[in-house]
Amino acid sequence: MGSKDADPSLGYLTRKDTEVKLPRPTRVKNKTPAPIQITAEQILREARERQEAEIRPPKQKITDSTELADYRLRKRKEFEDLIRRVRWNTGVWIKYAKWEESQKDFNRARSVWERALEVDYRNHTLWLKYAEVEMKNKFINHARNVWDRAVTLLPRVDQLWYKYIHMEEMLGNVAGARQIFERWMHWMPDQQGWLSYIKFELRYNEVERGRQIYERFVQCHPKVSTWIKYAKFEMKMGEVDRARNVYERAVEKLADDEEAEQLFVAFAEFEERCKETERARCIYKFALDHIPKGRAEDLYRKFVAFEKQYGDREGIEDAIVGKRRFQYEDEVGKNPMNYDIWFDYIRLEESVGNKARVREVYERAIANVPPAEEKRYWQRYIYLWINYALYEELDAGDMERTRDVYHECLKLIPHKKFSFAKIWLLAAQFEIRQLNLNGARQILGNAIGKAPKDKIFKKYIEIELHLGNIDRCRKLYEKYLEWSPENCYAWSKYAELEKSLDENERARAIFELAIAQPALDMPELLWKAYIDFEISQGEYERTRALYERLLDRTKHLKVWISYAKFEGSATGEDGGNPDMLEDDFQEHLYEQKKQCIQRARRVFEKAINYYRTSAPELKEERAMLLEEWLNMESSFGELGDVSLVQAKLPKKLKKRRQTQSDDGLSAGYEEYIDYLFPEESQTTNLKILEAAYKWKKQKIVSDDE
């Protein structure tokens, strides 16, 4: 009976029996370095020395012909069996053929090679090794036969041609090698094949033949690199004229090629080496005009370097400008609506000073009209026209062209949708500089008719005012106000004009018309101007009436304060008799000052009463009004009575109130300043007494029950 812990799956062994017991790791107690140290090199050398020698088969020595025949039969049988198994394996065929060669049985070796080629004649390695065997054993005709068959069957394998030609050349058969090259060239090989043929001819000093091959070469491969090689060949032979002729023919045929840049650079460098700097410069410029800008970066760099070496200051600057011009042309070609690039491009051309080019760039720039009739798209574009006009006037000095530029620009802008006051004004100012007032008036008149704007009216009125044409100014102001009746600036300026002409009644009538308008953009400025006008005229009663009319419209704090300050300062209303004595005059002024203070107090009291009864929620404004009143009383000196105001001043209370967020939820509390006026504190006390009395009454009733 086995143990009950035995497991059948483990062959009735216990798990303890099957556990792998690993040796306990040795604990190193002494960790100090050993006195004799061993290097890694010593360990490796010792391992090498202890290595056992590999087992090699014994060398077999053949002593007679019978044994040799048996050996050959056995080896051939092995190779044949191997070939039957792996017929497609070229390595087996090569080993078999080489073994036959080692036995000096060349016929059998050739038989093996031929059988291998029947299996895979497309494998050029077989042809190469077959031919090398024939060559090594000096079977020249056999080798020729192999090479001939190889290049006939595989004409696109360059290595076969090279080996064949090399063999003939080594044998000194130059004519045969040339004939093989000609056969090869009929297949139009790549550039290296043609160059090998040319080098072959040059090795035997056949320069003319090499030239003829180059001619065929550039016809077979019409590329920039082949023409450059041809030209360099002629240059090497010392034929400068022939080399130039090659470059010229190449330019005629390949000027539009993608690699034309390399051709032009090589041509220019050739002329540079020949000391023909003008020719080289012309080539660079011709290339820069004909090659697309995106492919001419290297050309520009070479041109700049050329100009720095051979050119004068103007030539260098022209080259640098040309490079920047190329960059700008590239950028405007990508995005013609990028007006900032056009501005930079124009600035570059203006710095050069070529008027024809500047005008050409301006014309190209303004031809890029914004696609949408929206003002935001035109705001940068319109400055192209402005700069063009200023250039023609200031730099070119051509006034007729300037006038034409302004005229074309104004004709182009869609004035029914939007307009530019700047263009109208610049055109008019130009005509004024040309002493053509009628032309300027016509332009500004057209502007008012087609696209009236504040700037145009203001500038037109300013021009006519400088010229002293008051009637024209009045007509313009009337047009201005017909177009924009709510414009307080226009009303006040019109009245100011009449005031400057001492036409006070006209000015007053204009102000009356202005404040009677149903809608005004800034009515407070207009009222202030009207009030200041009446004060300047000394019409205090009219001023009071104006303040009262203004208070009927608005009860704004600033109006009350302004009214009160006016009353406090209106001391010149009755100047008194100039013949009265000094003391009487001082007494008169004193009385007048007291009246002013009384009137100012009445205004303040009226304002306080309004805020207390009609607008009790405007506590801050009421407090500010009392502060102003207190300051005014203080400024009056001994005539003022500060106690009048102090009794009405409120107490400042700091309170808290709940705030809400945008979604209506509570967002905490915030502190604010509240004002408690004297009458409010009395009413608060009364409310407390009323509440106490009510509570007592209810208590008595409940006790009786």
Side-chain angles (χ1 to χ4, degrees):
M1 290 291 290
S3 174
K4 60 181 179 180
D5 294 331
D7 190 349
S9 64
L10 299 175
Y12 294 99
L13 295 172
T14 62
R15 292 195 178 274
K16 190 173 183 182
D17 295 334
T18 58
E19 282 180 0
V20 179
K21 293 181 180 179
L22 297 172
R24 183 177 294 176
T26 308
R27 292 182 64 186
V28 181
K29 292 181 180 178
N30 185 9
K31 294 184 180 180
T32 56
I36 300 171
Q37 295 291 315
I38 301 173
T39 63
E41 185 183 353
Q42 286 173 304
I43 294 168
L44 290 172
R45 192 182 293 115
E46 188 178 344
R48 179 75 177 168
E49 287 170 359
R50 291 187 180 184
Q51 197 173 17
E52 294 179 2
E54 65 177 279
I55 301 166
R56 292 182 181 178
K59 288 185 179 180
Q60 188 178 3
K61 291 184 179 180
I62 298 171
T63 54
D64 59 356
S65 58
T66 307
E67 197 175 349
L68 177 61
D70 289 342
Y71 164 71
R72 285 177 176 173
L73 182 63
R74 188 174 65 253
K75 285 295 285 183
R76 285 184 183 123
K77 188 174 183 305
E78 286 175 8
F79 277 120
E80 290 293 341
D81 290 342
L82 194 58
I83 284 167
R84 271 196 299 275
R85 285 202 308 274
V86 284
R87 193 164 183 262
W88 44 268
N89 192 336
T90 55
V92 175
W93 289 104
I94 291 168
K95 284 180 182 177
Y96 190 6
K98 285 191 173 180
W99 181 81
E100 291 290 2
E101 182 196 352
S102 68
Q103 299 301 311
K104 303 299 180 184
D105 195 343
F106 295 110
N107 288 328
R108 281 182 177 276
R110 286 191 192 100
S111 175
V112 173
W113 284 116
E114 293 296 337
R115 286 167 64 197
L117 289 172
E118 283 179 7
V119 173
D120 186 11
Y121 75 91
R122 288 191 181 88
N123 189 340
H124 67 279
T125 309
L126 285 174
W127 291 104
L128 289 170
K129 292 193 178 293
Y130 187 8
E132 282 173 3
V133 167
E134 298 289 8
M135 289 163 61
K136 187 168 65 173
N137 294 290
K138 299 183 180 178
F139 298 115
I140 303 303
N141 288 328
H142 280 289
R144 280 198 183 109
N145 184 21
V146 172
W147 287 126
D148 197 75
R149 287 162 59 203
V151 297
T152 304
L153 291 170
L154 301 172
R156 293 297 178 192
V157 180
D158 294 347
Q159 195 176 3
L160 298 174
W161 292 102
Y162 285 129
K163 291 279 188 181
Y164 191 7
I165 292 162
H166 179 65
M167 184 191 80
E168 294 293 354
E169 197 172 356
M170 291 295 286
L171 294 169
N173 186 7
V174 177
R178 188 175 288 121
Q179 191 177 3
I180 296 163
F181 264 122
E182 286 297 332
R183 279 178 64 191
W184 189 15
M185 294 306 114
H186 286 304
W187 287 98
M188 294 184 179
D190 60 4
Q191 293 189 22
Q192 195 57 44
W194 289 95
L195 293 173
S196 300
Y197 191 9
I198 292 163
K199 286 178 184 176
F200 166 77
E201 294 293 359
L202 293 179
R203 278 200 294 275
Y204 298 101
N205 295 321
E206 296 285 351
V207 177
E208 196 56 43
R209 280 181 180 275
R211 190 171 287 124
Q212 290 171 6
I213 296 164
Y214 260 121
E215 287 292 338
R216 291 160 60 194
F217 179 27
V218 295
Q219 296 301 321
C220 179
H221 295 282
K223 293 183 179 178
V224 168
S225 57
T226 57
W227 284 97
I228 291 172
K229 286 185 176 74
Y230 187 9
K232 285 181 177 177
F233 160 75
E234 294 291 3
M235 188 68 183
K236 192 176 179 181
M237 296 297 115
E239 299 285 346
V240 175
D241 292 335
R242 282 180 182 272
R244 186 174 289 121
N245 182 37
V246 170
Y247 275 122
E248 287 169 358
R249 285 164 58 200
V251 168
E252 286 176 11
K253 292 189 176 183
L254 301 174
D256 299 327
D257 192 78
E258 287 186 0
E259 298 177 350
E261 181 190 8
Q262 298 175 16
L263 177 63
F264 285 114
V265 169
F267 194 3
E269 288 176 347
F270 160 76
E271 295 292 359
E272 195 178 330
R273 282 194 295 273
C274 296
K275 310 298 182 186
E276 295 282 355
T277 53
E278 282 304 316
R279 278 177 175 272
R281 186 175 286 112
C282 291
I283 290 163
Y284 276 124
K285 290 183 177 179
F286 176 82
L288 292 172
D289 290 339
H290 285 76
I291 292 179
K293 305 300 184 239
R295 300 203 304 264
E297 292 181 10
D298 188 49
L299 190 66
Y300 267 113
R301 191 167 59 253
K302 297 270 187 184
F303 182 38
V304 171
F306 169 80
E307 286 293 349
K308 285 180 180 177
Q309 187 173 358
Y310 296 103
D312 52 7
R313 183 178 175 183
E314 290 182 6
I316 295 167
E317 287 178 357
D318 187 44
I320 294 168
V321 166
K323 186 175 182 181
R324 289 175 61 195
R325 187 180 288 135
F326 150 70
Q327 293 171 349
Y328 288 136
E329 284 287 348
D330 187 40
E331 289 183 18
V332 298
K334 290 176 184 174
N335 183 10
M337 295 297 173
N338 188 346
Y339 300 120
D340 291 329
I341 299 297
W342 283 111
F343 285 126
D344 294 340
Y345 193 3
I346 290 163
R347 203 174 296 120
L348 172 70
E349 294 296 351
E350 285 180 353
S351 67
V352 175
N354 188 338
K355 289 183 182 179
R357 279 198 77 95
V358 174
R359 282 171 177 157
E360 180 201 343
V361 176
Y362 266 122
E363 292 293 338
R364 285 172 58 200
I366 61 177
N368 296 297
V369 181
E373 291 185 349
E374 292 182 32
K375 191 167 185 176
R376 59 197 176 100
Y377 296 122
W378 287 64
Q379 282 172 336
R380 291 293 290 160
Y381 169 71
I382 209 68
Y383 278 95
L384 289 170
W385 286 96
I386 292 170
N387 290 355
Y388 191 9
L390 293 175
Y391 170 77
E392 290 292 353
E393 182 185 359
L394 302 176
D395 294 351
D398 193 335
M399 302 308 158
E400 283 304 316
R401 282 184 72 93
T402 308
R403 190 172 285 113
D404 291 341
V405 170
Y406 280 124
H407 181 261
E408 289 299 321
C409 179
L410 291 170
K411 195 162 72 173
L412 181 67
I413 298 169
H415 298 290
K416 290 182 179 179
K417 294 189 176 180
F418 59 85
S419 187
F420 293 93
K422 185 182 284 290
I423 288 288
W424 292 106
L425 295 177
L426 285 170
Q429 287 166 347
F430 165 72
E431 294 295 350
I432 290 169
R433 286 195 293 274
Q434 304 308 309
L435 305 179
N436 183 8
L437 281 177
N438 290 331
R441 283 179 179 139
Q442 187 178 0
I443 289 168
L444 291 170
N446 287 338
I448 290 170
K450 288 182 179 179
K453 282 179 171 285
D454 286 329
K455 285 183 183 177
I456 295 170
F457 277 112
K458 289 174 187 176
K459 198 68 183 177
Y460 197 179
I461 290 165
E462 184 186 336
I463 291 168
E464 294 296 354
L465 199 57
H466 279 307
L467 295 171
N469 294 324
I470 304 301
D471 290 336
R472 280 184 178 272
C473 289
R474 283 177 177 147
K475 285 180 182 176
L476 286 171
Y477 270 121
E478 288 168 11
K479 290 277 186 188
Y480 193 0
L481 293 168
E482 280 177 21
W483 172 67
S484 178
E486 74 283 351
N487 193 329
C488 293
Y489 173 85
W491 287 106
S492 56
K493 283 292 179 182
Y494 191 8
E496 194 179 315
L497 171 68
E498 296 295 354
K499 179 187 171 186
S500 67
L501 299 170
D502 289 333
E503 294 282 355
N504 295 329
E505 289 303 320
R506 288 178 72 97
R508 191 171 286 117
I510 289 164
F511 274 124
E512 287 294 335
L513 275 173
I515 61 175
Q517 295 300 315
L520 294 168
D521 54 1
M522 289 188 290
E524 65 278 3
L525 294 182
L526 188 63
W527 281 95
K528 185 178 184 304
Y530 193 3
I531 289 165
D532 290 345
F533 166 72
E534 293 295 2
I535 292 171
S536 67
Q537 298 300 315
E539 297 285 350
Y540 294 110
E541 284 302 324
R542 285 181 181 275
T543 308
R544 286 190 190 96
L546 274 177
Y547 270 118
E548 293 296 335
R549 287 165 67 188
L550 181 55
L551 285 170
D552 289 340
R553 295 194 180 197
T554 177
K555 296 290 195 297
H556 198 275
L557 173 67
K558 288 185 178 179
V559 178
W560 289 110
I561 293 171
S562 177
Y563 189 9
K565 284 183 177 178
F566 159 70
E567 290 293 7
S569 62
T571 55
E573 189 174 357
D574 183 12
N577 190 355
D579 297 332
M580 65 175 60
L581 296 172
E582 179 91 18
D583 293 339
D584 295 338
F585 183 69
Q586 290 296 330
E587 187 177 347
H588 176 73
L589 284 177
Y590 183 76
E591 288 296 326
Q592 202 172 31
K593 185 70 174 174
K594 284 177 71 175
Q595 290 175 8
C596 290
I597 293 168
Q598 291 298 325
R599 284 196 293 270
R601 282 174 183 159
R602 280 200 293 272
V603 172
F604 274 121
E605 285 171 357
K606 189 176 177 183
I608 295 295
N609 189 43
Y610 164 75
Y611 280 116
R612 186 172 59 246
T613 57
S614 301
E617 70 279 359
L618 300 176
K619 291 185 177 182
E620 193 171 353
E621 284 79 354
R622 184 177 169 191
M624 289 169 68
L625 189 68
L626 285 167
E627 288 289 335
E628 285 290 335
W629 190 1
L630 184 65
N631 293 336
M632 187 176 281
E633 291 289 350
S634 302
S635 67
F636 287 151
E638 61 182 15
L639 292 175
D641 189 358
V642 178
S643 60
L644 274 174
V645 187
Q646 285 177 340
K648 298 178 180 181
L649 287 173
K651 291 181 182 178
K652 286 186 179 180
L653 301 175
K654 191 179 284 187
K655 293 185 177 181
R656 293 175 69 199
R657 62 185 169 203
Q658 193 172 5
T659 57
Q660 288 185 338
S661 59
D662 295 337
D663 51 3
L665 299 174
S666 176
Y669 291 87
E670 66 173 2
E671 289 188 349
Y672 71 99
I673 302 296
D674 194 13
Y675 296 92
L676 186 67
F677 290 92
E679 67 272 11
E680 288 179 340
S681 61
Q682 290 174 6
T683 56
T684 306
N685 294 335
L686 286 171
K687 284 179 182 177
I688 293 169
L689 287 171
E690 283 177 9
Y693 177 72
K694 190 176 179 182
W695 173 79
K696 189 174 182 181
K697 192 174 180 181
Q698 285 176 351
K699 191 176 180 185
I700 291 167
V701 170
S702 62
D703 288 343
D704 291 344
E705 289 176 356

